[in-house]
Amino acid sequence: TIFSAKRLIGRRYNDPEVQKDKKLLPYEIKEASDGGIEIKMGENWHKPAEISAMVLKKLKQDAEEKLGEKITVAIITCPAYFDDSQRKATKIAGEIAGFNVRRVINEPTAAALAYGLTKKKNEQIVVYDFGGGTFDISVLDIAEDTIEVKATGGDTHLGGDDFDQKVMDWLIEQFKKD
């Protein structure tokens, strides 16, 4: 099972965070010829954007079946702290999946947009996103006709996967003590 490929998307193999992840991931990763990352799935090697594209293709297929029509255009979300390289790789994943990707926007911003669609008053809100691999937070101003991101930040290693790892480390430590 491949999981947390989003942590690797758009990163260089020699990135210290990739090297940290490499020690914890149960699947093989290696340096790609372009200095990026490849993930072994079965007998084949794939870039993280290709793995993400597989997930997006499945979501696209399910949505098309449910709606009874083709979906060609998408806005894709990503963690708020993603840098330009990670955003580009996310866009590439969407394109590989068959989408015309109009924009890549921050996940907390997307949540704020959904929240703000029905609001007709000015307010400042904080949106946090605690996911499998990430934690993001954004402060936004919502007005009648605009939503402005005032501040955003996040941590690439403060998600559910990290909590799971801490619990496993603790269990192993307790087992060794016993």
Side-chain angles (χ1 to χ4, degrees):
T1 300
I2 305 297
F3 62 91
S4 294
K6 189 161 75 170
R7 282 189 169 183
L8 304 172
I9 198 166
R11 290 191 181 273
R12 310 293 293 165
Y13 181 78
N14 61 4
D15 182 323
E17 292 193 22
V18 170
Q19 293 306 306
K20 178 183 171 185
D21 287 336
K22 183 180 175 185
K23 294 175 187 170
L24 301 173
L25 294 171
Y27 50 85
E28 289 182 64
I29 66 171
K30 71 176 185 178
E31 186 170 10
S33 59
D34 63 0
I37 299 164
E38 289 187 342
I39 299 169
K40 189 171 186 183
M41 187 166 70
E43 297 303 315
N44 300 314
W45 291 90
H46 300 277
K47 292 190 175 203
E50 294 171 318
I51 303 288
S52 292
M54 292 175 197
V55 173
L56 290 170
K57 278 181 188 175
K58 176 63 173 139
L59 292 170
K60 181 180 188 288
Q61 177 187 348
D62 290 350
E64 287 175 342
E65 286 176 17
K66 180 76 174 170
L67 296 171
E69 61 185 78
K70 285 280 185 199
I71 300 170
T72 58
V73 178
I75 295 172
I76 299 178
T77 63
C78 70
Y81 62 83
F82 261 23
D83 64 22
D84 191 51
S85 175
Q86 291 167 303
R87 289 172 190 277
K88 283 180 183 174
T90 300
K91 184 175 189 231
I92 289 167
E95 291 168 350
I96 292 169
F99 289 113
N100 172 3
V101 180
R102 293 281 172 91
R103 289 193 67 181
V104 175
I105 65 172
N106 294 345
E107 290 162 350
T109 303
L113 285 168
Y115 170 80
L117 286 176
T118 59
K119 304 297 177 197
K120 298 296 181 204
K121 61 180 180 179
N122 295 344
E123 61 184 333
Q124 215 172 50
I125 64 168
V126 174
V127 178
Y128 74 92
D129 174 13
F130 181 72
T134 65
F135 176 78
D136 302 317
I137 190 163
S138 293
V139 178
L140 303 106
D141 269 335
I142 296 180
E144 191 171 328
D145 58 350
T146 60
I147 295 179
E148 182 182 356
V149 178
K150 292 299 207 176
T152 192
D155 190 323
T156 57
H157 287 85
L158 186 60
D161 292 347
D162 303 290
F163 280 61
D164 290 348
Q165 187 63 49
K166 290 289 185 190
V167 169
M168 286 188 287
D169 291 346
W170 181 82
L171 286 171
I172 290 168
E173 184 181 316
Q174 295 307 309
F175 179 79
K176 286 179 178 178
K177 283 181 185 176
D178 291 347

